[in-house]
Amino acid sequence: MHSGNADRPQGVLLRGGTVIDGTGAPRFTADVRIEGARIVAIGAGLVEEGAWVIDATGKIVAPGFIDVHTHDDYLAQSAPRMLPKISQGVTTVVTGNCGISLAPLVHANVPPPLNLLGGPDKYIYPTMAAYAAAVDAARPAVNVAALVGHSTLRVAAMGDPYRAATAAEQARMGELLREGMAAGATGLSSGVFYPPGAAADIDELALLAGIAGEMGGVYTTHIRQEADQVLDSLDEAFITARRGRVPLVISHHKCAGPQNWGRSVQTIAHIDAARRDQAIGLDCYPYIASSTVLRGEMVDGIIDILITFSVPHPEMAARTLADIAREWQCTQREACERLQPGGACYFQMREDDVQRVLQYPATMIGSDGLPHDQHPHPRLWGTFPRVLGHYSRDVGLFSLETAVHKMSGLSARQFRLADRGEIRAGAFADIVVFDAATVMDTATFEKPNAQAIGVECVLVNGAVAYRHGNVAPSRHGRFLRRPGT
Ligand code: ZN
Ligand code: CU
């Protein structure tokens, strides 16, 4: 690879690739010319003058992928090369999902699940503006769009966040959210599945969703329950978003637990019916296991549970809970208690449900990767190549054009990321070049920290950010402020 200014010449010309433009339209062969941060021309035989020419013959040229569901809030600063993401062709991450965002909150020892963002002591940003400035100063390899987390707002505004909020506390949450939105946040997220978010009623959620909506944002939610009460929980999300007049995104949609396997037929029909009256999108990761903090009530003795980290027992990461319980000669529930605080992968979904959700036209791809786990779920490193290589190419679940759309054009539209997610003149040059024949995830539950193959080159804001398996020395990601802020 070149050195010197080769990662940022006057322009870049991607020569002779097969363009999949992110809109879902059929592929075509063309050169793509980039000047500065933007795409300036797409067509045959574009002039090379002043450009660094990259041969893309035989390769797919697509919009850089948008990981709409991440917990990379702190990673963008602690490891700004963002290797797990850039190596998949991801050029933008949406942080702050599931109700937990690093800002706005100053706290020395946050409770779970807020500790998923790199530990209990990483909360040092009193405002979203301060967080945005820190991201810009760190210059991560990929762009960052941030949601404001509802659980973070609760911890910031309430002495005891595990109870109903008073009117004054809700007003304070509203103020903090307004500051975040004014500083450019993309919207509000909630995670009412977990305490402390779970202590909120629908009035509190609708009040805050309304502020996000009024200021031009979106509302994403990890719904109250994804198991037996999944339909009621979806209804709560629909009503919240309707009352708040805000576009809704259902996070990592799933039907959890053996007794609910197969119910995605119902849930998708339910979502489809609601979409006639309101804007609803979904995100999904391409695996049958979920992953989050250790939670006793998820230990049912039936599903397999793999430990991803344990503060008191770090040596137990990468082992199953059943195995640990056997060694300790106790029940799985007891073993779970002794491992706290910790995290796990829960094999709680079935393949047909995962495929049905992935295939649904309003579903975007989001990894939900947990970058600070000792032994993370493989979705952190594998999500996007797995959808392209496994589900599109090998399983034939949908065309490559559809796969790309679900990770770029659709995502940019649903999250209102201006001039991202498409290959067109005038759009930002966030671009991935990959080999459709070989692209594949290599991360597994046994060996999760593994770089995908087949991703040849990634450009972020017009600069080469990743090539031949290496991250470029200079990074060009930005904090993406919502249009108009
Ligand atoms: Zn979640
Ligand atoms: Cu999440």
Side-chain angles (χ1 to χ4, degrees):
M1 191 167 155
H2 298 254
S3 56
N5 69 347
D7 65 319
R8 193 84 190 199
Q10 288 84 345
V12 175
L13 183 70
L14 298 173
R15 176 69 87 198
T18 301
V19 176
I20 293 183
D21 70 5
T23 65
R27 65 193 78 184
F28 55 95
T29 302
D31 300 340
V32 177
R33 171 88 194 211
I34 295 133
E35 298 283 352
R38 295 195 189 241
I39 297 168
V40 292
I42 299 161
L46 299 182
V47 290
E48 295 185 3
E49 206 193 316
W52 174 16
V53 180
I54 296 175
D55 181 18
T57 312
K59 305 294 189 295
I60 303 294
V61 174
F65 306 139
I66 298 167
D67 189 347
V68 295
H69 192 118
T70 87
H71 298 287
D72 293 342
D73 304 49
Y74 179 61
L75 188 76
Q77 296 158 60
S78 66
R81 296 166 70 244
M82 304 284 284
L83 184 61
K85 295 301 162 76
I86 194 91
S87 61
Q88 296 183 61
V90 169
T91 56
T92 295
V93 296
V94 178
T95 63
N97 273 281
C98 295
I100 57 176
S101 59
L102 213 51
L105 176 62
V106 177
H107 202 293
N109 188 21
V110 292
L114 279 73
N115 60 339
L116 284 175
L117 302 182
D121 58 348
K122 301 295 186 284
Y123 288 74
I124 59 167
Y125 301 106
T127 60
M128 183 56 74
Y131 176 73
V135 168
D136 278 336
R139 263 212 179 248
V142 307
N143 302 307
V144 174
L147 298 164
V148 177
H150 165 247
S151 295
T152 295
L153 293 177
R154 284 195 131 238
V155 174
M158 300 173 70
D160 168 13
Y162 297 98
R163 54 161 174 78
T166 64
E169 286 163 341
Q170 289 180 351
R172 177 69 188 138
M173 286 187 238
E175 263 170 49
L176 289 168
L177 176 59
R178 277 183 197 285
E179 180 282 326
M181 296 302 296
T186 297
L188 171 73
S189 85
S190 75
V192 287
F193 168 69
Y194 307 94
D201 62 14
I202 195 166
D203 294 331
E204 174 176 321
L205 295 167
L207 174 82
L208 296 171
I211 293 172
E214 170 199 317
M215 296 182 77
V218 300
Y219 172 56
T220 77
T221 180
H222 178 162
I223 59 176
R224 213 170 275 275
Q225 227 251 27
E226 295 173 311
D228 301 9
Q229 277 114 53
V230 62
L231 291 179
D232 290 344
S233 301
L234 285 170
D235 282 336
E236 182 189 38
F238 301 159
I239 295 166
T240 304
R242 276 208 304 274
R243 284 177 55 186
R245 299 172 189 276
V246 63
L248 174 66
V249 175
I250 302 290
S251 295
H252 44 58
H253 183 51
K254 66 174 73 70
C255 296
Q259 70 281 16
N260 295 301
W261 288 348
R263 287 187 68 199
S264 59
V265 174
Q266 260 178 296
T267 62
I268 290 290
H270 199 61
I271 292 167
D272 210 47
R275 282 180 65 216
R276 283 181 221 127
D277 304 318
Q278 66 187 117
I280 302 175
L282 289 70
D283 67 65
C284 182
Y285 48 81
Y287 298 87
I288 58 161
S290 64
S291 185
T292 185
V293 287
L294 263 176
R295 286 172 61 86
E297 76 270 24
M298 290 172 81
V299 180
D300 63 0
I302 303 170
I303 61 165
D304 290 327
I305 297 175
L306 180 72
I307 303 303
T308 54
F309 77 94
S310 165
V311 173
H313 293 283
E315 74 282 5
M316 292 305 180
R319 289 183 59 182
T320 66
L321 190 62
D323 189 28
I324 296 165
R326 224 173 288 125
E327 183 176 314
W328 286 349
Q329 300 191 329
C330 65
T331 65
Q332 290 195 33
R333 283 260 178 146
E334 284 160 1
C336 174
E337 275 321 299
R338 284 169 63 181
L339 291 163
Q340 295 279 20
C345 293
Y346 303 88
F347 290 78
Q348 58 171 180
M349 290 170 258
R350 199 171 67 187
E351 182 65 27
D352 58 325
D353 289 315
V354 173
Q355 293 195 11
R356 194 171 290 111
V357 175
L358 281 173
Q359 221 171 0
Y360 184 61
T363 301
M364 302 166 278
I365 307 304
S367 71
D368 203 4
L370 296 170
H372 307 287
D373 285 6
Q374 268 176 286
H375 185 85
H377 187 303
R379 64 194 186 187
L380 175 66
W381 290 81
T383 290
F384 293 82
R386 181 169 169 80
V387 170
L388 299 169
H390 178 67
Y391 282 112
S392 174
R393 182 188 59 225
D394 298 347
V395 176
L397 199 58
F398 32 62
S399 68
L400 196 56
E401 285 83 348
T402 297
V404 168
H405 179 57
K406 286 173 172 293
M407 37 182 92
S408 58
L410 180 65
S411 321
R413 199 171 70 215
Q414 292 196 344
F415 279 83
R416 300 174 165 175
L417 304 176
D419 291 343
R420 310 267 169 192
E422 287 179 20
I423 301 281
R424 65 171 156 75
F428 283 102
D430 292 345
I431 298 175
V432 54
V433 180
F434 66 92
D435 186 337
T438 63
V439 66
M440 183 54 81
D441 57 309
T442 66
T444 63
F445 286 95
E446 292 74 35
K447 291 194 79 175
N449 298 306
Q451 226 163 307
I453 54 172
V455 176
E456 311 246 326
C457 179
V458 184
L459 282 81
V460 175
N461 293 314
V464 173
Y466 179 83
R467 208 174 177 210
H468 305 314
N470 299 305
V471 184
S474 65
R475 305 184 299 263
H476 299 271
R478 302 172 183 170
F479 184 86
L480 299 186
R481 284 169 183 77
R482 206 178 64 263
T485 54

